[in-house]
Amino acid sequence: LDRSTREIELGLEYGIPTMNLAGQSLKFENGQWVAESGSFTGDRREMQRLRKRNQQLEEENNLLRLKVDILLDMLSETTAESHLMEKELEELRSHSRRRK
């Protein structure tokens, strides 16, 4: 049954989902949780502090991602060099065995 039929036949009226989280009232509209107007009682300075901290953490996260990428590149390069050296060493050993 579609929603309107269920409401008529079964008397189900759910309304908009709402919740209260840390003193802030939120409602679910158009697939997103939205603060109800006038429900935020926080301090403006606290919001600015949290935004600044969030920005710092995003920048730190970006820097760490860059460092991980660099380390992975270095590891790949070292691994490739190691495989080349192992191959050269094996060729030298086989060449040395043929001489004996």
Side-chain angles (χ1 to χ4, degrees):
L1 299 175
D2 68 354
R3 182 178 178 195
S4 59
T5 306
R6 279 193 312 244
E7 287 177 3
I8 294 169
E9 292 189 13
L10 303 174
L12 300 176
E13 177 57 48
Y14 298 111
I16 297 173
T18 60
M19 73 172 166
N20 189 354
L21 184 62
Q24 185 173 1
S25 183
L26 304 166
K27 60 184 175 180
F28 194 74
E29 287 184 347
N30 300 323
Q32 293 186 357
W33 287 100
V34 180
E36 290 188 28
S37 60
S39 69
F40 183 69
T41 58
D43 184 51
R44 187 173 295 204
R45 281 180 269 157
E46 179 68 9
M47 285 294 290
Q48 289 175 342
R49 186 189 70 76
L50 290 173
R51 281 192 181 116
K52 184 178 179 180
R53 180 66 177 144
N54 187 42
Q55 180 67 30
Q56 289 172 341
L57 290 173
E58 286 178 1
E59 290 172 2
E60 181 181 351
N61 191 28
N62 289 338
L63 179 62
L64 291 172
R65 286 176 194 240
L66 178 63
K67 287 181 178 183
V68 166
D69 286 343
I70 291 170
L71 288 172
L72 287 172
D73 288 346
M74 291 170 64
L75 178 62
S76 297
E77 183 179 347
T78 303
T79 302
E81 288 175 357
S82 173
H83 286 298
L84 285 174
M85 288 181 183
E86 286 176 6
K87 186 176 179 182
E88 287 178 13
L89 182 59
E90 190 60 39
E91 287 175 3
L92 287 173
R93 284 181 180 159
S94 67
H95 189 279
S96 174
R97 288 181 196 143
R98 280 188 244 149
R99 285 185 164 178
K100 290 181 179 182

XYZ file of all heavy atoms in Angstrom:
824
model
N 0.831 -1.184 0.000
C 0.000 0.000 0.000
C 0.872 1.243 0.000
O 1.899 1.288 0.669
C -0.889 0.022 1.240
C -1.888 -1.112 1.441
C -2.566 -0.972 2.783
C -2.893 -1.171 0.336
N 0.422 2.242 -0.731
C 1.158 3.497 -0.694
C 0.805 4.260 0.589
O -0.094 3.873 1.331
C 0.905 4.344 -1.930
C -0.516 4.874 -2.013
O -1.342 4.504 -1.167
O -0.791 5.661 -2.933
N 1.512 5.322 0.839
C 1.386 6.044 2.112
C -0.031 6.563 2.342
O -0.592 6.403 3.424
C 2.383 7.193 2.154
C 2.326 7.949 3.450
C 3.343 9.048 3.498
N 3.195 9.758 4.755
C 3.708 10.918 5.017
N 4.429 11.519 4.101
N 3.529 11.498 6.170
N -0.616 7.191 1.329
C -1.946 7.777 1.523
C -2.990 6.704 1.795
O -3.874 6.883 2.635
C -2.347 8.617 0.306
O -2.358 7.815 -0.855
N -2.890 5.553 1.145
C -3.829 4.450 1.376
C -3.667 3.896 2.784
O -4.643 3.615 3.472
C -3.620 3.326 0.334
O -3.689 3.892 -0.974
C -4.659 2.242 0.483
N -2.424 3.758 3.232
C -2.188 3.266 4.592
C -2.783 4.213 5.619
O -3.378 3.790 6.605
C -0.678 3.133 4.854
C -0.054 1.892 4.305
C 1.340 1.707 4.876
N 2.131 2.928 4.799
C 3.245 3.071 4.077
N 3.707 2.071 3.408
N 3.880 4.208 4.052
N -2.598 5.516 5.392
C -3.130 6.500 6.328
C -4.651 6.418 6.404
O -5.230 6.487 7.492
C -2.689 7.910 5.925
C -1.235 8.188 6.186
C -0.801 9.562 5.712
O -1.656 10.336 5.218
O 0.390 9.863 5.828
N -5.309 6.265 5.244
C -6.772 6.206 5.214
C -7.276 4.922 5.850
O -8.148 4.930 6.721
C -7.293 6.340 3.768
C -6.982 7.747 3.232
C -8.787 6.046 3.694
C -7.211 7.878 1.740
N -6.701 3.790 5.435
C -7.210 2.494 5.890
C -6.768 2.125 7.300
O -7.518 1.526 8.053
C -6.799 1.399 4.906
C -7.492 1.535 3.566
C -7.251 0.345 2.659
O -6.766 -0.691 3.143
O -7.555 0.478 1.469
N -5.551 2.445 7.655
C -5.024 2.014 8.944
C -4.909 3.154 9.962
O -4.602 2.912 11.121
C -3.640 1.370 8.751
C -3.607 0.182 7.777
C -2.181 -0.275 7.560
C -4.468 -0.960 8.289
N -5.103 4.366 9.521
C -5.045 5.496 10.429
C -3.641 5.818 10.891
O -3.449 6.323 11.993
N -2.666 5.540 10.065
C -1.280 5.798 10.446
C -0.869 7.193 10.011
O -0.870 7.525 8.847
C -0.344 4.774 9.801
C -0.607 3.316 10.171
C 0.329 2.416 9.390
C -0.415 3.107 11.655
N -0.525 8.030 10.945
C -0.004 9.363 10.660
C 1.264 9.532 11.477
O 1.221 9.712 12.688
C -1.035 10.434 11.029
C -0.556 11.856 10.838
C -0.096 12.162 9.414
O -0.811 11.825 8.457
O 0.996 12.733 9.277
N 2.393 9.409 10.815
C 3.672 9.429 11.520
C 4.193 10.841 11.750
O 4.834 11.118 12.735
C 4.728 8.633 10.744
C 4.375 7.175 10.601
C 4.036 6.649 9.369
C 4.357 6.341 11.702
C 3.701 5.317 9.236
C 4.023 5.007 11.580
C 3.702 4.498 10.337
O 3.374 3.191 10.215
N 3.989 11.720 10.821
C 4.528 13.072 10.934
C 6.008 13.101 10.605
O 6.598 12.112 10.181
N 6.608 14.252 10.794
C 8.031 14.434 10.500
C 8.848 13.900 11.663
O 8.596 14.259 12.815
C 8.344 15.927 10.273
C 7.586 16.447 9.049
C 9.831 16.156 10.110
C 7.712 17.945 8.848
N 9.849 13.047 11.394
C 10.714 12.553 12.475
C 11.493 13.711 13.113
O 12.022 14.570 12.413
C 11.671 11.591 11.776
C 11.052 11.287 10.463
C 10.193 12.451 10.110
N 11.521 13.724 14.424
C 12.262 14.748 15.150
C 13.086 14.090 16.251
O 12.786 12.972 16.673
C 11.310 15.796 15.788
O 10.448 15.130 16.691
C 10.514 16.537 14.740
N 14.113 14.807 16.687
C 14.913 14.315 17.813
C 15.523 15.507 18.529
O 15.656 16.589 17.972
C 15.992 13.350 17.351
C 17.139 13.949 16.645
S 18.401 12.694 16.378
C 19.407 13.517 15.185
N 15.893 15.271 19.771
C 16.548 16.286 20.576
C 17.941 15.762 20.902
O 18.090 14.711 21.511
C 15.742 16.546 21.848
C 16.258 17.737 22.609
O 17.280 18.310 22.253
N 15.561 18.100 23.659
N 18.950 16.498 20.471
C 20.334 16.066 20.648
C 21.119 17.207 21.281
O 21.254 18.275 20.695
C 20.931 15.684 19.292
C 22.333 15.132 19.277
C 22.396 13.825 20.059
C 22.786 14.879 17.851
N 21.614 16.981 22.479
C 22.407 17.968 23.212
C 21.671 19.300 23.313
O 22.242 20.361 23.117
C 23.773 18.153 22.566
N 20.392 19.230 23.582
C 19.604 20.434 23.768
C 19.174 21.122 22.481
O 18.544 22.166 22.518
N 19.508 20.531 21.345
C 19.138 21.121 20.063
C 18.092 20.235 19.398
O 18.277 19.032 19.271
C 20.353 21.268 19.156
C 20.056 21.982 17.869
C 21.314 22.257 17.060
O 22.395 21.896 17.470
N 21.151 22.881 15.923
N 16.994 20.828 18.999
C 15.900 20.091 18.372
C 16.132 20.018 16.865
O 16.370 21.040 16.216
C 14.578 20.794 18.665
O 13.520 20.046 18.125
N 16.094 18.806 16.322
C 16.320 18.584 14.896
C 15.116 17.885 14.290
O 14.467 17.070 14.938
C 17.565 17.723 14.682
C 18.862 18.227 15.289
C 19.911 17.129 15.285
C 19.364 19.423 14.528
N 14.848 18.175 13.007
C 13.789 17.478 12.294
C 14.335 16.988 10.962
O 15.257 17.569 10.407
C 12.566 18.373 12.100
C 12.821 19.629 11.319
C 11.575 20.489 11.263
C 11.887 21.818 10.567
N 10.733 22.676 10.495
N 13.768 15.888 10.467
C 14.229 15.262 9.237
C 13.376 15.758 8.086
O 12.194 15.444 7.992
C 14.153 13.737 9.357
C 14.904 13.006 8.293
C 16.280 12.947 8.318
C 14.229 12.373 7.262
C 16.982 12.269 7.344
C 14.923 11.697 6.279
C 16.309 11.644 6.322
N 13.981 16.565 7.205
C 13.261 17.124 6.059
C 14.080 16.937 4.794
O 15.268 17.212 4.776
C 13.002 18.621 6.254
C 11.959 18.951 7.267
C 11.683 20.452 7.336
O 12.473 21.232 6.772
O 10.685 20.813 7.962
N 13.428 16.461 3.756
C 14.068 16.299 2.441
C 15.378 15.517 2.519
O 16.363 15.859 1.901
C 14.310 17.660 1.787
C 13.032 18.430 1.571
O 11.998 17.841 1.237
N 13.066 19.726 1.785
N 15.385 14.476 3.341
C 16.551 13.598 3.427
C 17.694 14.119 4.275
O 18.775 13.542 4.262
N 17.481 15.204 5.044
C 18.550 15.746 5.877
C 17.991 16.156 7.230
O 16.830 16.550 7.346
C 19.184 16.972 5.217
C 19.939 16.659 3.968
C 20.659 17.899 3.442
O 20.541 18.983 3.984
N 21.415 17.723 2.379
N 18.844 16.083 8.261
C 18.468 16.564 9.581
C 18.717 18.059 9.617
O 19.811 18.528 9.309
C 19.275 15.860 10.667
C 18.844 14.448 10.870
C 19.450 13.327 10.387
C 17.691 14.008 11.585
N 18.749 12.225 10.752
C 17.660 12.595 11.494
C 16.682 14.651 12.291
C 16.666 11.842 12.095
C 15.680 13.891 12.884
C 15.676 12.497 12.785
N 17.697 18.825 9.993
C 17.755 20.280 9.999
C 17.381 20.775 11.387
O 16.421 20.276 11.992
C 16.772 20.861 8.951
C 16.815 22.374 8.948
C 17.052 20.300 7.570
N 18.123 21.768 11.884
C 17.802 22.354 13.189
C 16.498 23.133 13.072
O 16.288 23.871 12.115
C 18.926 23.263 13.652
N 15.632 22.927 14.049
C 14.388 23.687 14.059
C 14.714 25.133 14.400
O 15.598 25.414 15.194
C 13.413 23.098 15.073
C 12.875 21.747 14.644
C 11.757 21.256 15.543
O 11.054 22.089 16.133
O 11.611 20.040 15.649
N 14.005 26.050 13.786
C 14.304 27.467 13.986
C 14.143 27.844 15.453
O 13.193 27.459 16.108
C 13.391 28.331 13.116
O 12.040 28.092 13.463
N 15.138 28.571 15.934
C 15.103 29.036 17.318
C 15.488 27.994 18.340
O 15.436 28.252 19.528
N 15.907 26.802 17.918
C 16.224 25.758 18.897
C 17.666 25.811 19.370
O 18.012 25.222 20.372
C 15.931 24.382 18.308
O 16.850 24.084 17.275
N 18.531 26.539 18.640
C 19.938 26.574 19.035
C 20.129 27.616 20.129
O 19.813 28.781 19.966
C 20.846 26.881 17.841
C 22.298 26.850 18.201
C 22.913 25.658 18.526
C 23.048 28.008 18.258
C 24.240 25.609 18.877
C 24.375 27.976 18.605
C 24.968 26.773 18.917
N 20.649 27.153 21.236
C 20.858 28.051 22.371
C 22.333 28.227 22.683
O 22.681 28.731 23.733
C 20.135 27.501 23.619
O 20.648 26.192 23.899
C 18.640 27.441 23.402
N 23.205 27.777 21.758
C 24.640 27.834 22.007
C 25.208 29.234 21.913
O 24.587 30.160 21.414
N 26.409 29.374 22.384
C 27.128 30.633 22.384
C 27.781 30.845 21.023
O 28.356 29.927 20.450
C 28.175 30.597 23.494
C 28.909 31.890 23.643
O 28.250 32.934 23.746
O 30.147 31.851 23.672
N 27.697 32.071 20.509
C 28.261 32.378 19.194
C 29.772 32.176 19.181
O 30.338 31.673 18.221
C 27.920 33.812 18.819
C 28.320 34.173 17.403
C 27.823 35.525 17.040
N 26.364 35.472 17.028
C 25.599 36.282 16.345
N 26.137 37.238 15.651
N 24.289 36.184 16.384
N 30.438 32.541 20.283
C 31.897 32.348 20.369
C 32.259 30.871 20.337
O 33.259 30.484 19.743
C 32.453 33.002 21.626
C 32.600 34.509 21.469
C 33.154 35.127 22.715
N 31.981 35.496 23.521
C 31.971 35.674 24.815
N 33.059 35.526 25.512
N 30.869 36.000 25.443
N 31.422 30.057 20.956
C 31.662 28.600 20.945
C 31.556 28.064 19.525
O 32.349 27.226 19.102
C 30.666 27.904 21.872
C 30.805 26.405 21.911
C 32.090 25.907 22.571
O 32.836 26.707 23.159
O 32.348 24.695 22.469
N 30.576 28.560 18.775
C 30.429 28.133 17.377
C 31.649 28.538 16.555
O 32.156 27.748 15.753
C 29.166 28.743 16.760
C 27.888 28.098 17.222
S 27.746 26.399 16.659
C 27.512 26.666 14.928
N 32.138 29.758 16.760
C 33.324 30.217 16.038
C 34.538 29.367 16.414
O 35.344 29.012 15.551
C 33.593 31.693 16.332
C 32.591 32.624 15.692
C 32.805 34.070 16.094
O 33.463 34.360 17.086
N 32.230 34.986 15.317
N 34.655 29.059 17.704
C 35.771 28.225 18.157
C 35.707 26.846 17.525
O 36.719 26.316 17.056
C 35.754 28.100 19.684
C 36.966 27.358 20.248
C 36.817 27.063 21.723
N 35.804 26.062 21.999
C 35.951 24.745 21.797
N 37.077 24.272 21.302
N 34.990 23.896 22.089
N 34.514 26.270 17.462
C 34.356 24.942 16.871
C 34.635 24.959 15.367
O 35.242 24.026 14.833
C 32.954 24.404 17.151
C 32.676 24.032 18.599
C 31.208 23.670 18.783
C 33.575 22.887 19.050
N 34.199 26.026 14.697
C 34.481 26.133 13.255
C 35.982 26.241 13.009
O 36.519 25.619 12.090
C 33.759 27.346 12.672
C 32.299 27.098 12.427
C 31.680 28.206 11.594
N 30.271 27.937 11.410
C 29.291 28.686 11.872
N 29.564 29.784 12.545
N 28.043 28.361 11.658
N 36.663 27.046 13.838
C 38.108 27.205 13.696
C 38.817 25.878 13.959
O 39.720 25.492 13.215
C 38.613 28.282 14.659
C 40.082 28.574 14.519
C 40.522 29.681 15.452
C 42.008 29.934 15.316
N 42.467 30.997 16.213
N 38.394 25.171 14.992
C 39.001 23.866 15.313
C 38.757 22.859 14.190
O 39.648 22.103 13.819
C 38.431 23.343 16.635
C 38.977 22.014 17.066
C 40.450 22.106 17.409
N 40.901 20.817 17.872
C 42.104 20.328 17.614
N 42.986 21.048 16.967
N 42.438 19.139 18.044
N 37.545 22.901 13.633
C 37.218 22.012 12.519
C 38.121 22.304 11.325
O 38.639 21.378 10.682
C 35.749 22.167 12.136
C 35.323 21.155 11.111
O 35.690 19.999 11.191
N 34.538 21.613 10.156
N 38.337 23.588 11.030
C 39.218 23.980 9.930
C 40.646 23.495 10.182
O 41.298 22.980 9.277
C 39.189 25.505 9.752
C 40.075 26.019 8.637
C 39.591 25.589 7.277
O 38.404 25.405 7.064
N 40.507 25.424 6.357
N 41.126 23.649 11.424
C 42.476 23.190 11.769
C 42.599 21.683 11.564
O 43.596 21.194 11.021
C 42.809 23.534 13.218
C 43.028 24.999 13.482
C 43.154 25.303 14.971
O 42.752 24.516 15.819
N 43.715 26.466 15.291
N 41.580 20.949 11.999
C 41.622 19.495 11.853
C 41.570 19.070 10.385
O 42.242 18.107 9.994
C 40.471 18.857 12.640
C 40.599 18.944 14.159
C 39.322 18.442 14.822
C 41.804 18.176 14.656
N 40.800 19.783 9.580
C 40.759 19.478 8.150
C 42.116 19.725 7.497
O 42.574 18.922 6.681
C 39.677 20.307 7.457
C 38.279 19.820 7.752
C 37.204 20.670 7.094
O 37.550 21.638 6.374
O 36.021 20.367 7.302
N 42.771 20.831 7.871
C 44.094 21.125 7.328
C 45.108 20.078 7.769
O 45.949 19.630 6.975
C 44.537 22.528 7.750
C 43.751 23.635 7.073
C 44.065 25.011 7.624
O 44.937 25.128 8.515
O 43.414 25.972 7.172
N 45.039 19.688 9.040
C 45.950 18.659 9.550
C 45.715 17.333 8.830
O 46.655 16.636 8.462
C 45.751 18.488 11.053
C 46.674 17.464 11.680
C 46.438 17.284 13.169
O 45.681 18.068 13.772
O 47.023 16.340 13.728
N 44.449 17.010 8.617
C 44.105 15.778 7.918
C 44.657 15.794 6.493
O 45.219 14.799 6.019
C 42.586 15.597 7.908
C 42.172 14.236 7.440
O 42.895 13.262 7.593
N 40.987 14.157 6.863
N 44.528 16.927 5.804
C 45.062 17.040 4.446
C 46.572 16.880 4.432
O 47.131 16.210 3.551
C 44.661 18.377 3.821
C 43.196 18.443 3.485
O 42.534 17.428 3.317
N 42.671 19.656 3.408
N 47.254 17.486 5.409
C 48.706 17.355 5.495
C 49.113 15.904 5.747
O 50.039 15.392 5.116
C 49.249 18.262 6.611
C 50.760 18.206 6.839
C 51.511 18.663 5.600
C 51.144 19.040 8.053
N 48.390 15.240 6.641
C 48.706 13.836 6.931
C 48.461 12.943 5.715
O 49.231 12.016 5.450
C 47.899 13.356 8.135
C 48.301 13.967 9.474
C 47.310 13.568 10.554
C 49.710 13.583 9.862
N 47.403 13.228 4.968
C 47.157 12.456 3.735
C 48.300 12.644 2.741
O 48.742 11.691 2.094
C 45.846 12.886 3.090
C 44.629 12.398 3.806
C 43.375 12.940 3.151
N 42.228 12.751 4.002
C 41.176 12.043 3.667
N 41.112 11.463 2.507
N 40.176 11.909 4.508
N 48.779 13.886 2.628
C 49.894 14.166 1.733
C 51.142 13.401 2.177
O 51.842 12.802 1.359
C 50.171 15.670 1.698
C 51.344 16.121 0.837
C 51.101 15.779 -0.624
C 51.565 17.619 1.013
N 51.407 13.407 3.487
C 52.574 12.688 4.004
C 52.459 11.188 3.749
O 53.443 10.538 3.395
C 52.741 12.959 5.500
C 53.243 14.351 5.799
C 53.418 14.575 7.292
C 53.976 15.947 7.591
N 54.223 16.146 9.024
N 51.263 10.635 3.918
C 51.062 9.209 3.649
C 51.318 8.914 2.172
O 51.976 7.919 1.822
C 49.645 8.759 4.079
C 49.309 7.407 3.494
C 49.538 8.722 5.589
N 50.822 9.779 1.280
C 51.061 9.588 -0.154
C 52.547 9.611 -0.479
O 53.046 8.789 -1.261
C 50.335 10.664 -0.969
C 48.840 10.446 -1.036
O 48.386 9.307 -0.742
O 48.115 11.400 -1.384
N 53.265 10.555 0.133
C 54.711 10.650 -0.104
C 55.413 9.394 0.401
O 56.274 8.828 -0.280
C 55.289 11.917 0.552
C 54.789 13.155 -0.192
C 56.820 11.881 0.581
C 55.097 14.465 0.509
N 55.040 8.933 1.601
C 55.657 7.723 2.152
C 55.361 6.494 1.287
O 56.232 5.643 1.083
C 55.183 7.492 3.587
C 55.752 8.454 4.627
C 55.050 8.250 5.968
C 57.251 8.265 4.774
N 54.145 6.408 0.761
C 53.812 5.281 -0.123
C 54.621 5.338 -1.410
O 55.078 4.301 -1.912
C 52.312 5.269 -0.433
C 51.417 4.823 0.705
C 49.944 5.030 0.341
C 51.671 3.369 1.066
N 54.826 6.550 -1.952
C 55.672 6.698 -3.141
C 57.103 6.268 -2.841
O 57.737 5.567 -3.640
C 55.662 8.146 -3.641
C 54.342 8.533 -4.289
O 53.537 7.626 -4.595
O 54.113 9.750 -4.478
N 57.621 6.686 -1.684
C 58.981 6.312 -1.297
C 59.098 4.804 -1.125
O 60.083 4.189 -1.547
C 59.373 7.031 -0.003
C 59.546 8.532 -0.165
S 59.726 9.414 1.409
C 61.251 8.741 2.036
N 58.087 4.192 -0.515
C 58.096 2.742 -0.327
C 58.070 2.017 -1.670
O 58.805 1.047 -1.878
C 56.900 2.311 0.525
C 56.743 0.818 0.762
C 57.947 0.259 1.523
C 55.458 0.542 1.507
N 57.250 2.513 -2.594
C 57.177 1.895 -3.926
C 58.511 1.991 -4.644
O 58.975 1.018 -5.260
C 56.089 2.578 -4.767
O 54.829 2.398 -4.191
N 59.128 3.155 -4.565
C 60.420 3.350 -5.220
C 61.481 2.431 -4.615
O 62.246 1.780 -5.339
C 60.846 4.808 -5.088
C 62.141 5.129 -5.798
C 62.530 6.593 -5.657
O 61.699 7.406 -5.220
O 63.690 6.909 -5.992
N 61.520 2.347 -3.287
C 62.502 1.497 -2.617
C 62.267 0.027 -2.942
O 63.216 -0.739 -3.169
C 62.437 1.719 -1.093
O 62.648 3.099 -0.820
C 63.476 0.889 -0.374
N 61.003 -0.367 -2.988
C 60.677 -1.760 -3.327
C 61.107 -2.085 -4.751
O 61.688 -3.155 -5.007
C 59.164 -2.008 -3.158
O 58.795 -1.712 -1.820
C 58.812 -3.453 -3.467
N 60.860 -1.173 -5.686
C 61.269 -1.396 -7.079
C 62.783 -1.505 -7.176
O 63.307 -2.390 -7.871
C 60.745 -0.263 -7.957
N 63.507 -0.613 -6.492
C 64.979 -0.671 -6.508
C 65.473 -1.980 -5.910
O 66.423 -2.588 -6.411
C 65.560 0.516 -5.741
C 65.412 1.840 -6.447
C 65.880 3.018 -5.609
O 66.279 2.812 -4.437
O 65.826 4.150 -6.118
N 64.844 -2.419 -4.840
C 65.235 -3.672 -4.199
C 65.045 -4.855 -5.146
O 65.914 -5.735 -5.246
C 64.412 -3.871 -2.925
O 64.641 -5.133 -2.368
N 63.908 -4.866 -5.854
C 63.671 -5.967 -6.802
C 64.694 -5.946 -7.936
O 65.170 -7.005 -8.366
C 62.255 -5.887 -7.365
C 61.201 -6.311 -6.401
N 61.130 -7.582 -5.874
C 60.158 -5.633 -5.863
C 60.109 -7.664 -5.051
N 59.500 -6.493 -5.019
N 65.055 -4.752 -8.407
C 66.074 -4.659 -9.454
C 67.417 -5.165 -8.952
O 68.125 -5.896 -9.661
C 66.206 -3.216 -9.935
C 65.096 -2.696 -10.840
C 65.285 -1.203 -11.104
C 65.079 -3.466 -12.150
N 67.789 -4.794 -7.728
C 69.062 -5.257 -7.165
C 69.059 -6.769 -6.970
O 70.068 -7.432 -7.236
C 69.348 -4.549 -5.842
C 69.730 -3.111 -5.991
S 70.056 -2.413 -4.363
C 70.386 -0.731 -4.785
N 67.942 -7.327 -6.520
C 67.847 -8.778 -6.354
C 67.991 -9.482 -7.694
O 68.667 -10.514 -7.798
C 66.511 -9.152 -5.705
C 66.434 -8.825 -4.237
C 65.053 -9.117 -3.648
O 64.188 -9.672 -4.352
O 64.845 -8.766 -2.474
N 67.381 -8.914 -8.717
C 67.476 -9.504 -10.059
C 68.911 -9.445 -10.565
O 69.430 -10.428 -11.103
C 66.540 -8.762 -11.008
C 66.451 -9.369 -12.377
C 65.439 -8.646 -13.239
C 65.389 -9.267 -14.617
N 64.446 -8.567 -15.494
N 69.575 -8.295 -10.383
C 70.975 -8.156 -10.796
C 71.860 -9.135 -10.038
O 72.761 -9.762 -10.613
C 71.463 -6.723 -10.576
C 70.909 -5.718 -11.547
C 71.385 -4.310 -11.255
O 72.331 -4.139 -10.451
O 70.793 -3.371 -11.819
N 71.626 -9.272 -8.729
C 72.415 -10.187 -7.912
C 72.226 -11.626 -8.388
O 73.202 -12.393 -8.489
C 72.020 -10.052 -6.445
C 72.790 -10.904 -5.442
C 74.279 -10.587 -5.491
C 72.238 -10.695 -4.050
N 70.997 -11.986 -8.688
C 70.719 -13.344 -9.172
C 71.395 -13.587 -10.524
O 71.948 -14.659 -10.762
C 69.207 -13.551 -9.279
C 68.802 -14.984 -9.542
C 69.274 -15.932 -8.442
O 69.237 -15.554 -7.262
O 69.681 -17.064 -8.792
N 71.395 -12.576 -11.382
C 72.067 -12.711 -12.683
C 73.568 -12.869 -12.498
O 74.211 -13.674 -13.184
C 71.770 -11.496 -13.566
C 70.370 -11.467 -14.108
C 70.067 -10.188 -14.882
O 70.975 -9.341 -15.045
O 68.906 -10.042 -15.308
N 74.153 -12.108 -11.566
C 75.590 -12.235 -11.298
C 75.913 -13.612 -10.738
O 76.934 -14.213 -11.092
C 76.048 -11.139 -10.325
C 76.134 -9.727 -10.894
C 76.422 -8.733 -9.776
C 77.222 -9.653 -11.961
N 75.075 -14.129 -9.863
C 75.303 -15.464 -9.295
C 75.226 -16.531 -10.378
O 76.051 -17.441 -10.419
C 74.277 -15.757 -8.206
C 74.548 -15.037 -6.913
C 73.516 -15.389 -5.879
N 73.771 -14.685 -4.620
C 72.885 -14.477 -3.689
N 71.642 -14.923 -3.846
N 73.191 -13.825 -2.588
N 74.218 -16.421 -11.253
C 74.084 -17.430 -12.311
C 75.242 -17.313 -13.302
O 75.741 -18.327 -13.808
C 72.744 -17.296 -13.031
O 72.682 -16.086 -13.747
N 75.709 -16.103 -13.566
C 76.848 -15.903 -14.457
C 78.111 -16.478 -13.822
O 78.937 -17.093 -14.490
C 77.034 -14.404 -14.739
C 78.027 -14.118 -15.801
N 79.370 -14.109 -15.581
C 77.875 -13.818 -17.135
C 80.006 -13.822 -16.677
N 79.107 -13.639 -17.643
N 78.242 -16.294 -12.502
C 79.408 -16.817 -11.781
C 79.391 -18.341 -11.770
O 80.441 -18.973 -11.891
C 79.396 -16.268 -10.365
O 80.416 -16.849 -9.606
N 78.234 -18.947 -11.642
C 78.108 -20.420 -11.617
C 78.478 -21.011 -12.970
O 79.062 -22.092 -13.048
C 76.703 -20.828 -11.261
C 76.352 -20.589 -9.830
C 74.927 -21.031 -9.515
N 74.506 -20.454 -8.244
C 73.297 -20.024 -7.981
N 72.359 -20.103 -8.884
N 73.020 -19.517 -6.815
N 78.137 -20.309 -14.056
C 78.452 -20.815 -15.393
C 79.949 -20.820 -15.645
O 80.454 -21.666 -16.368
C 77.756 -19.946 -16.438
C 76.311 -20.304 -16.600
C 75.686 -19.562 -17.762
N 74.661 -18.683 -17.208
C 74.293 -17.534 -17.702
N 74.871 -17.091 -18.803
N 73.380 -16.812 -17.142
N 80.679 -19.880 -15.018
C 82.123 -19.820 -15.197
C 82.822 -20.986 -14.518
O 83.868 -21.429 -14.953
C 82.687 -18.526 -14.624
C 82.415 -17.341 -15.480
C 83.118 -16.170 -14.882
N 83.211 -15.097 -15.839
C 83.746 -13.938 -15.589
N 84.257 -13.700 -14.403
N 83.794 -13.004 -16.498
N 82.264 -21.486 -13.442
C 82.924 -22.550 -12.680
C 82.797 -23.825 -13.379
O 82.975 -24.545 -14.040
C 82.291 -22.692 -11.299
C 82.597 -21.534 -10.396
C 81.972 -21.749 -9.063
C 82.276 -20.608 -8.131
N 81.727 -20.791 -6.827
